Amino acid sequence: MIGAVLRAPAVTADAFADAPEPSGAAPLFPAEAALVAGAVAARRAEFTGVRACARAALDRLGVAPAPLLPGPGGAPVWPDGIVGSLTHCRGYRGAAVARAGELRTIGCDAEPDEPLPRPGMLDMIALPVERAQLRALRLRDPSICWDRLLFSAKESVYKAWYPLTGRWLDFEEAAVTLDPKTRTFRAELLVPGPEVDGRALTGFDGRWAAGRGLLLTAVAVPAAAVLPAG
């Protein structure tokens, strides 16, 4: 499913259940296992499952397995020369990686296709213009939980933003427009963005998908060397 929202040069892998490890294989490196040693079984399963996806994607890039440990801000620290993003929710784990010379950053997020989990949460994550957009989208297609999709898009934007800046990005600091026809979205930054390959980044473009009871969003910022001319 993640392949529907991230295309080459990104390499992706996902799973809808936690696959058993091959015979004799260690599911986690010791440093990873230590992070979830006291966690409940469900947390250990998602932690292990999403790293299995990451290692499968890295293997396709020819990158040897290595511990994937959280760095500052909680984002995973990838092997040298690699960018990537992890996501998991109930019934899904996904990973996307790329060489840093092709993509500067990736952000992906998976959510259940269900309403936001807490009353008042929409007011915390959505700008007035976004709430108006959601009302129109619900009238157009009530089969999709658009408020949860907006949340997912903003999560993907943050995951792409943080490796470039090392700074937090609040929900109200990016305005997201969801396109129901093309299943894309645009996030306009409302604060100064980072400079990427000599260009000031003013926003992020992404794709979204819905299916199997899930919502998935992703953004990727190409390196200047692979940007289209013009």
Side-chain angles (χ1 to χ4, degrees), residues 1-224:
M1 189 169 175
I2 196 171
V5 293
L6 278 169
R7 302 171 185 170
V11 175
T12 63
D14 60 3
F16 294 89
D18 295 312
E21 288 292 321
S23 177
L28 293 174
F29 286 87
E32 294 172 327
L35 294 175
V36 290
V40 299
R43 169 59 181 150
R44 291 197 304 271
E46 66 187 15
F47 184 93
T48 303
V50 77
R51 277 160 177 76
C53 291
R55 288 193 248 282
L58 288 167
D59 182 67
R60 292 175 56 195
L61 282 180
V63 178
L68 294 175
L69 305 175
V77 178
W78 296 95
D80 288 346
I82 299 296
V83 298
S85 185
L86 304 177
T87 187
H88 54 76
C89 68
R90 186 181 67 245
Y92 185 79
R93 293 87 171 86
V97 297
R99 298 196 181 279
E102 296 179 313
L103 295 179
R104 290 296 183 239
T105 189
I106 302 174
C108 62
D109 183 71
E111 299 286 333
D113 192 358
E114 299 171 357
L116 290 168
R118 296 191 301 277
M121 188 173 174
L122 182 62
D123 290 338
M124 295 172 57
I125 69 162
L127 299 164
V129 66
E130 293 170 329
R131 292 196 290 273
Q133 174 193 194
L134 293 177
R135 288 192 292 270
L137 289 169
R138 283 193 291 267
L139 289 173
R140 177 191 179 102
D141 183 358
S143 69
I144 292 174
C145 290
W146 296 100
D147 55 349
R148 195 64 169 261
L149 183 62
L150 177 71
F151 173 80
S152 181
K154 291 200 171 191
E155 286 290 295
S156 286
V157 167
Y158 173 73
K159 290 181 179 182
W161 158 277
Y162 189 85
L164 297 175
T165 65
R167 304 196 308 272
W168 182 259
L169 183 72
D170 288 332
F171 286 112
E172 69 270 17
E173 292 179 331
V176 171
T177 302
L178 301 166
D179 190 323
K181 291 183 178 179
T182 62
R183 296 205 163 193
T184 60
F185 63 90
R186 172 70 180 174
E188 293 288 347
L189 292 171
L190 305 179
V191 293
E195 188 172 285
V196 178
D197 294 332
R199 302 183 183 199
L201 195 68
T202 61
F204 295 88
D205 293 300
R207 296 187 179 93
W208 63 270
R212 300 182 66 160
L214 297 166
L215 300 169
L216 199 62
T217 60
V219 300
V221 176

